[in-house]
Amino acid sequence: MQTHFKGKHLLCEQDWTNEELETLFKVTEDLKMKYAMDVPHELCKNKSLFMLFFEESTRTRNAFECGITQLGGHANYLTPKATQIDHGETAKDTIEVLSRMGHGIGIRNTLVGGHKWMAEVAKHAKIPVYNMQCDIWHPTQSICDLYTIREKFGTDLRGRKFVISWTSAPNYVRPLSMAQSLVALMPRFGLDVTLAHPEKFDLMPEVIEMAKENARKAGAKFEIVHDMDQACKDADIIYAKGWGPIMHVGNDEEAGLKLIDENPGWLVDSRRMKLAKESAIYMHCMPADRDVEVTSEVMDGPQSVLYDQAENRMHTIKALMALTMGNVASRR
Ligand code: CP
């Protein structure tokens, strides 16, 4: 087990090996126990975390902000408008300056090109850069999801069926990043992954290739189906959330919403949960559209692990920060 994580970025799950993620999970377990027992754990005392949000957030922002406070540090909440980014200051100049003042930076930018912008920041950063969700990946969510699955089913996940299904989520076109992170990460830990969506809601082809390759290396299965009932059959985990037909319509919001409206009925209800195994769990990264993506009966029912999952955002993110910007690491 290697212990040198100081300054390590997290832009994508693939940046971290399975062994590194195992260390992160062990640290998470320790910090979660300390949180439960109210034992102080100021591993990032006097450290400053920058949180740069191009879009809104409930879970991610508060997981990082409460997390760094519990670790003895402080968070600066930034937006493009609250900085000179909106006036055109470059990613390089922004991060060169912030690197002189603080100890880590998280960025959320889910607009097309968000990942590219983040990668440019990481190229010039002298401090760890955390992807708080971009147009391609949402690694702090998927890592938390894997941790939650391991809490529920144990660490040997071989042969378990993980379903990530599209839903008819309304009102706006959601990024591909959540589904893409899940299909890429879960097979690495032995889960058999079924991706379900209507025609024209494909994920990026290079991500699908990565998912297939990760599954092949781990001896796991990966399949794509276009029928939600078929996907849910015998599932151990049903994770269902919407994304836009971005591969077909790009940034055309109107065309995207039209295609979503043409595919009603993709939601998780008790009938679909009954198609899964009796011990199956229901997951969603939240925010979930109640009674549109999932019925309230399922969301508030015994198979739902939503709030455990949401809490685990904070514990896994604290482990990430403690390892990559913590005081212990900085003594090396
Ligand atoms: N799951 C998630 O990223 O939630 P927020 O958008 O509220 O951060």
Side-chain angles (χ1 to χ4, degrees), residues 53 56-61 108 132-133 138 141 178 285-287 313:
F53 280 93
E56 65 286 350
S57 162
T58 296
R59 279 142 292 271
T60 309
R61 174 181 174 176
R108 169 169 289 192
M132 290 173 157
Q133 190 175 14
H138 195 358
Q141 179 70 56
M178 190 65 260
C285 55
M286 300 179 83
R313 293 298 303 287

Side-chain angles (χ1 to χ4, degrees), residues 2 4-17 20-21 24 49-50 64 91 95-96 98-99 102-107 115-132 137 139-140 143 188 317 319-321 323-326:
Q2 70 105 348
H4 291 247
F5 288 87
K6 192 176 179 235
K8 189 171 173 59
H9 303 316
L10 175 65
L11 296 188
C12 164
E13 300 78 4
Q14 211 78 2
D15 295 343
W16 287 53
T17 64
E20 288 168 338
L21 289 173
L24 188 143
L49 170 76
F50 302 108
F64 271 97
I95 194 60
E96 287 281 5
L98 294 180
S99 291
H103 305 89
I105 181 167
I107 303 170
H115 188 79
K116 203 167 157 215
W117 196 88
M118 238 173 244
E120 180 67 12
V121 170
K123 194 169 114 189
H124 300 288
K126 312 295 185 292
I127 54 178
V129 179
Y130 311 125
N131 181 347
M132 290 173 157
W137 308 112
T140 63
I143 288 169
R188 285 172 51 189
I317 283 169
L320 172 68
M321 292 191 290
L323 282 168
T324 57
M325 58 184 273

Side-chain angles (χ1 to χ4, degrees), residues 19-143:
E19 194 178 311
E20 288 168 338
L21 289 173
E22 290 289 356
T23 304
L24 188 143
F25 291 145
K26 285 193 181 105
V27 175
T28 302
E29 189 74 20
D30 181 47
L31 295 181
K32 187 169 181 179
M33 197 58 75
K34 287 187 166 73
Y35 177 76
M37 302 290 286
D38 213 6
V39 175
H41 46 282
E42 296 192 332
L43 300 172
C44 294
K45 197 167 168 54
N46 297 328
K47 306 269 178 180
S48 291
L49 170 76
F50 302 108
M51 306 188 303
L52 175 55
F53 280 93
F54 287 69
E55 295 96 24
E56 65 286 350
S57 162
T58 296
R59 279 142 292 271
T60 309
R61 174 181 174 176
N62 290 294
F64 271 97
E65 193 159 341
C66 293
I68 193 69
T69 303
Q70 290 165 28
L71 292 170
H74 170 77
N76 292 6
Y77 178 72
L78 306 172
T79 65
K81 275 204 187 323
T83 61
Q84 297 292 5
I85 293 168
D86 248 16
H87 286 155
E89 188 159 36
T90 64
K92 176 181 188 300
D93 291 341
T94 304
I95 194 60
E96 287 281 5
V97 172
L98 294 180
S99 291
R100 302 283 181 107
M101 300 178 184
H103 305 89
I105 181 167
I107 303 170
R108 169 169 289 192
N109 186 349
T110 63
L111 303 171
V112 173
H115 188 79
K116 203 167 157 215
W117 196 88
M118 238 173 244
E120 180 67 12
V121 170
K123 194 169 114 189
H124 300 288
K126 312 295 185 292
I127 54 178
V129 179
Y130 311 125
N131 181 347
M132 290 173 157
Q133 190 175 14
C134 68
D135 48 334
I136 306 179
W137 308 112
H138 195 358
T140 63
Q141 179 70 56
S142 62
I143 288 169

Side-chain angles (χ1 to χ4, degrees), residues 14-306:
Q14 211 78 2
D15 295 343
W16 287 53
T17 64
N18 282 23
E19 194 178 311
E20 288 168 338
L21 289 173
E22 290 289 356
T23 304
L24 188 143
F25 291 145
K26 285 193 181 105
V27 175
T28 302
E29 189 74 20
D30 181 47
L31 295 181
K32 187 169 181 179
M33 197 58 75
K34 287 187 166 73
Y35 177 76
M37 302 290 286
D38 213 6
V39 175
H41 46 282
E42 296 192 332
L43 300 172
C44 294
K45 197 167 168 54
N46 297 328
K47 306 269 178 180
S48 291
L49 170 76
F50 302 108
M51 306 188 303
L52 175 55
F53 280 93
F54 287 69
E55 295 96 24
E56 65 286 350
S57 162
T58 296
R59 279 142 292 271
T60 309
R61 174 181 174 176
N62 290 294
F64 271 97
E65 193 159 341
C66 293
I68 193 69
T69 303
Q70 290 165 28
L71 292 170
H74 170 77
N76 292 6
Y77 178 72
L78 306 172
T79 65
K81 275 204 187 323
T83 61
Q84 297 292 5
I85 293 168
D86 248 16
H87 286 155
E89 188 159 36
T90 64
K92 176 181 188 300
D93 291 341
T94 304
I95 194 60
E96 287 281 5
V97 172
L98 294 180
S99 291
R100 302 283 181 107
M101 300 178 184
H103 305 89
I105 181 167
I107 303 170
R108 169 169 289 192
N109 186 349
T110 63
L111 303 171
V112 173
H115 188 79
K116 203 167 157 215
W117 196 88
M118 238 173 244
E120 180 67 12
V121 170
K123 194 169 114 189
H124 300 288
K126 312 295 185 292
I127 54 178
V129 179
Y130 311 125
N131 181 347
M132 290 173 157
Q133 190 175 14
C134 68
D135 48 334
I136 306 179
W137 308 112
H138 195 358
T140 63
Q141 179 70 56
S142 62
I143 288 169
C144 152
D145 297 338
L146 178 58
Y147 180 81
T148 306
I149 291 168
R150 288 159 60 112
E151 278 190 331
K152 303 300 175 191
F153 291 112
T155 54
D156 184 0
L157 297 172
R158 285 171 300 174
R160 298 261 179 205
K161 182 175 176 182
F162 176 89
V163 176
I164 169 66
S165 174
W166 186 84
T167 55
S168 319
N171 301 332
Y172 66 99
V173 170
R174 291 150 179 82
L176 303 173
S177 47
M178 190 65 260
Q180 297 200 147
S181 274
L182 293 171
V183 299
L185 178 64
M186 295 308 173
R188 285 172 51 189
F189 286 80
L191 286 160
D192 292 334
V193 172
T194 297
L195 169 65
H197 60 78
E199 305 284 351
K200 299 197 178 150
F201 285 84
D202 313 82
L203 303 183
M204 292 167 66
E206 53 270 44
V207 173
I208 296 298
E209 280 316 303
M210 186 189 283
K212 284 182 182 165
E213 182 59 11
N214 286 349
R216 188 192 63 74
K217 282 186 186 153
K221 294 179 193 152
F222 176 76
E223 63 172 353
I224 301 175
V225 300
H226 299 297
D227 181 292
M228 201 173 182
D229 282 1
Q230 184 189 344
C232 291
K233 197 168 175 329
D234 298 325
D236 289 286
I237 300 126
I238 297 181
Y239 196 129
K241 98 159 278 319
W243 61 87
I246 292 162
M247 299 309 296
H248 285 261
V249 303
N251 286 328
D252 187 340
E253 182 90 5
E254 200 180 320
L257 289 173
K258 186 167 175 290
L259 272 176
I260 292 168
D261 287 346
E262 284 170 12
N263 289 280
W266 285 66
L267 93 166
V268 181
D269 57 11
S270 54
R271 183 188 68 79
R272 285 202 164 114
M273 285 308 295
K274 283 198 184 82
L275 296 174
K277 291 195 184 128
E278 213 177 319
S279 57
I281 59 173
Y282 164 74
M283 299 182 82
H284 192 299
C285 55
M286 300 179 83
D289 283 279
R290 273 183 182 266
D291 301 310
V292 180
E293 291 191 281
V294 51
T295 60
S296 288
E297 188 187 3
V298 170
M299 200 164 160
D300 299 324
Q303 288 169 291
S304 168
V305 301
L306 293 199

Side-chain angles (χ1 to χ4, degrees), residues 310-321:
E311 181 187 331
N312 281 337
R313 293 298 303 287
M314 185 179 77
H315 301 303
T316 45
I317 283 169
K318 280 171 69 180
L320 172 68
M321 292 191 290

